[in-house]
Amino acid sequence: MMTMNRNVTQLAPRALYQSKFNSARYNLLLVVAMTAINVVLLMLGGSSYFLFSATVPYSLAIDGMYMTGRMPEDWYTDWPDTLPFLDSGYMTVMMVIAFAIILVYLACFFFSKNFKSGWMIAAAVIFSLDTLYLVFIYGVGVDSIMDLLLHAWVLYYLISGSVYGIKLKKLADDEPVQENYGPIEVPVVEVNTPAEEKTENNSTDEK
């Protein structure tokens, strides 16, 4: 009875922890999708930029495009005429690194499926570094305030998801282990009915 009551009391927090953890995963997936879309749009010459994007992969893509002369002309007003652009191989390297980082985020999303807190912690650490990079490069101003706020939003969910993932693991560790002792042998007790006892007594009297 005590084990049953304990399982009932753990049911509510378990559902809450799982919900919080899944919310963190969905925010992480949103970051992956928006970052990939922004990098692809940049490669295609688009000027649109979607929020909820990681900064480092997008900055690497911009650097690769800029240093190889593939950005719009107004980007090169201060570019020295005597300085040649880099070879296209530089852009390829930057794009590969950018998509590699995106794939790391995607791996954290997939491998945290079964409430694996370690992968969520990894995502939180990497996105924390991305947020520090955003502050260091762009500072805190009007142009970067929305990115900073949304970075803080995602970082909150990733950190809380990591915490709830650890709590889920603790709940699983605290659950009692049900041991299998195999089939239980029940002793068979023969019980004579009154009719059977009367028949036995008659047989004894006849003898």
Side-chain angles (χ1 to χ4, degrees):
M1 183 63 68
M2 184 179 297
T3 302
M4 182 182 297
N5 292 336
R6 186 177 183 181
N7 290 337
V8 171
T9 55
Q10 285 184 344
L11 182 61
R14 179 183 295 278
L16 174 64
Y17 298 164
Q18 290 176 347
S19 176
K20 296 290 186 180
F21 191 89
N22 285 327
S23 295
R25 292 185 70 242
Y26 296 142
N27 276 272
L28 178 58
L29 182 61
L30 182 61
V31 169
V32 171
M34 293 298 101
T35 307
I37 290 173
N38 285 334
V39 173
V40 171
L41 287 177
L42 182 66
M43 294 173 62
L44 297 176
S47 58
S48 299
Y49 175 82
F50 293 96
L51 298 173
F52 281 99
S53 174
T55 304
V56 172
Y58 190 71
S59 296
L60 290 172
I62 289 178
D63 184 63
M65 298 280 289
Y66 177 75
M67 296 300 292
T68 55
R70 287 174 168 80
M71 296 300 288
E73 292 183 0
D74 57 347
W75 282 61
Y76 300 99
T77 54
D78 297 330
W79 187 275
D81 296 334
T82 58
L83 183 64
F85 293 115
L86 296 179
D87 187 77
S88 59
Y90 179 81
M91 185 191 73
T92 302
V93 172
M94 292 297 103
M95 291 298 178
V96 168
I97 297 175
F99 279 106
I101 296 174
I102 295 174
L103 287 176
V104 171
Y105 283 119
L106 188 61
C108 291
F109 169 77
F110 278 116
F111 290 114
S112 63
K113 180 178 180 180
N114 295 323
F115 306 106
K116 301 293 185 181
S117 59
W119 288 97
M120 188 59 66
I121 293 172
V125 171
I126 298 171
F127 200 77
S128 298
L129 297 176
D130 190 272
T131 305
L132 290 176
Y133 176 84
L134 173 63
V135 174
F136 179 77
I137 297 298
Y138 298 101
V140 180
V142 177
D143 295 336
S144 61
I145 189 64
M146 283 303 298
D147 255 333
L148 286 171
L149 289 176
L150 292 175
H151 266 67
W153 170 282
V154 174
L155 197 56
Y156 164 77
Y157 273 96
L158 294 180
I159 293 174
S160 64
S162 301
V163 172
Y164 286 114
I166 294 173
K167 289 184 177 181
L168 280 170
K169 185 177 184 303
K170 188 176 184 302
L171 276 181
D173 292 340
D174 290 343
E175 286 181 349
V177 179
Q178 297 181 355
E179 298 182 4
N180 185 12
Y181 295 100
I184 300 176
E185 295 183 0
V186 180
V188 179
V189 179
E190 295 183 358
V191 179
N192 294 331
T193 63
E196 291 176 342
E197 292 180 354
K198 185 177 181 180
T199 302
E200 290 179 357
N201 292 333
N202 293 334
S203 299
T204 304
D205 293 340
E206 290 177 358
K207 291 179 180 180

